Amino acid sequence: MSSLEGHTGEVYSVAFAPDGKTLASGGDDGAVKLWDAASGSQKSSLEGHTGDVNSVAFAPDGKTLASGSDDATVKLWDAASGSQMSSLEGDRFCFCDGGYVATALDRVVR
């Protein structure tokens, strides 16, 4: 078992990519980190949230990573490149069939 060190605060969420090769983590430092699951090395740090990152999840095809934050945004990232693809209003999310993402904030689902 390995310890992955790179966040500057508490880690609130972790998720494996569907192929098991990449692990994502998010925490109170506002960063989303991508890790090589086999070696434990950090692949990238995805910056863009201004609040705690409470949830991370890969889309079923593994190509997109979503992160939800206290800054009231859900960010969609290209899992391969780490580039931000979109920023949506919300702090909770789920992936739906067909590649859609549903978000929620203040009792409203979008």
Side-chain angles (χ1 to χ4, degrees):
M1 183 182 306
S2 298
S3 295
L4 308 179
E5 298 182 19
H7 284 281
T8 59
E10 298 292 320
V11 174
Y12 295 146
S13 183
V14 295
F16 276 100
D19 66 6
K21 294 180 180 178
T22 302
L23 178 72
S25 61
D28 70 2
D29 57 3
V32 176
K33 308 276 188 186
L34 295 178
W35 309 88
D36 180 282
S39 70
S41 63
Q42 184 177 313
K43 294 168 69 171
S44 57
S45 182
L46 313 181
E47 308 293 333
H49 285 293
T50 58
D52 297 357
V53 176
N54 298 310
S55 54
V56 293
F58 286 90
D61 66 5
K63 294 180 181 178
T64 304
L65 173 72
S67 56
S69 171
D70 284 347
D71 66 8
T73 65
V74 171
K75 299 201 182 291
L76 301 179
W77 310 89
D78 180 292
S81 70
S83 63
Q84 184 178 317
M85 299 166 34
S86 185
S87 183
L88 310 170
E89 186 177 6
D91 60 359
R92 312 260 187 296
F93 65 89
C94 69
F95 282 102
C96 308
D97 288 339
Y100 295 102
V101 177
T103 65
L105 179 68
D106 298 329
R107 297 183 229 141
V108 176
V109 176
R110 296 171 175 82

